[in-house]
Amino acid sequence: MTKRALVLGGGGVAGIAWETGVLAGLAAGGVDCLAADKILGTSAGATVAAQITSGLPMEELYRRQADPALQNTELPSGVSVERLMALFEDMYKRGPDLATVRKEAGSLALAAETVDEPVRRGVIASRLPRHEWPRDAGVEMVAVDTATGEHQVFHRGSGVGLVEAVAASCAVPGVWPPVTIGATRYMDGGVRSGVNADLVAGCERVLILAPMEDVQLAGQIDLLEESGRVELITPDEESAAAMGADPLDPAVRTPSAEAGYAQGRALAGRVAVFWD
């Protein structure tokens, strides 16, 4: 049985900054989240999973989010997040089941006018300190097939490059282009679930960072608790305010990282008892 899993959910560039801040705060408080046997990332969480297993110190990764001078260049989404969320809510209301909704999301992703794939890939590549899968960490990333709505979990043995895996997991339908891998085009793993925590079922201890609300998460935690224990961290009041209403806005990275760090530092004692 896998003993410890770290699950990192989706939440745009705000989520990347907040998760990095939380993990850095936990590390400063003596909690080594990299000791996880498995790290599962979805969307923003895929980016963070790749970054924290790159070999760079957590303090440096935090500075790259908190210090505007060190932040990588992000493309403006050019999309109203409020409108996009309303569109997805409408799809879920009309869809008879999740499989149908995921296929509809795939159609949206394929039809949307976005930047070209190579442009978006360049942004993803600039986020990652290294472009090779880590050898000693069980990193996995979730994406969804635009044609079938089925999810795919990428890892070092998948034969897919790290940059492509992260880009696929981060390809928000209607915002960023689907990622072509072989004959398949993939979209954001958050189309299946914002966190996808059920994919680590069977672990003894699961630490979850969930930047955004996921209506499926409660049921996933119930499943995880059939075989182990779960610690869930979501944004506190200060972090939620720092992240704002648009998780795709690069301007919120500094306040999100700083609030996440403070939250992680405050939670370190409790999480240490759970994790160690």
Side-chain angles (χ1 to χ4, degrees), residues 3-89:
K3 292 186 177 181
R4 291 183 288 188
L6 173 64
V7 178
L8 303 168
V13 291
I16 294 172
W18 176 77
E19 289 182 342
T20 304
V22 170
L23 292 170
L26 290 173
V31 182
D32 181 14
C33 292
L34 289 179
D37 302 289
K38 178 180 291 188
I39 301 175
L40 178 75
T42 296
S43 198
T47 295
V48 176
Q51 290 173 339
I52 65 176
T53 57
S54 67
L56 278 187
M58 194 67 72
E59 296 88 347
E60 173 64 17
L61 293 172
Y62 171 70
R63 285 194 293 270
R64 291 186 178 200
Q65 294 296 322
D67 184 348
L70 300 177
Q71 292 168 350
N72 67 292
T73 301
E74 293 281 349
L75 295 171
S77 69
V79 174
S80 165
V81 172
E82 184 177 358
R83 177 180 174 277
L84 187 65
M85 295 303 293
L87 179 62
F88 275 99
E89 287 177 8

Side-chain angles (χ1 to χ4, degrees), residues 133-227:
W133 287 93
R135 290 184 174 275
D136 301 323
V139 177
E140 298 181 349
M141 301 169 183
V142 187
V144 174
D145 187 324
T146 56
T148 67
E150 296 295 322
H151 73 280
Q152 175 69 46
V153 178
F154 295 115
H155 50 79
R156 185 169 177 267
S158 297
V160 174
L162 180 64
V163 175
E164 283 68 32
V166 174
S169 190
C170 292
V172 181
V175 180
W176 307 121
V179 173
T180 304
I181 299 176
T184 304
R185 302 198 74 193
Y186 289 97
M187 59 184 168
D188 199 296
V191 172
R192 179 184 185 271
S193 160
V195 181
N196 289 302
D198 58 309
L199 297 180
V200 299
C203 292
E204 293 180 0
R205 279 169 288 173
V206 181
L207 176 61
I208 301 173
L209 273 60
M212 298 181 68
E213 183 180 358
D214 180 358
V215 296
Q216 301 181 67
L217 183 55
Q220 293 175 0
I221 290 176
D222 288 342
L223 174 64
L224 296 176
E225 289 180 336
E226 291 179 7
S227 57

Side-chain angles (χ1 to χ4, degrees), residues 86-102:
L87 179 62
F88 275 99
E89 287 177 8
D90 182 61
M91 288 167 53
Y92 275 94
K93 289 177 182 177
R94 291 186 289 106
D97 54 47
L98 290 177
T100 299
V101 172
R102 291 166 188 159

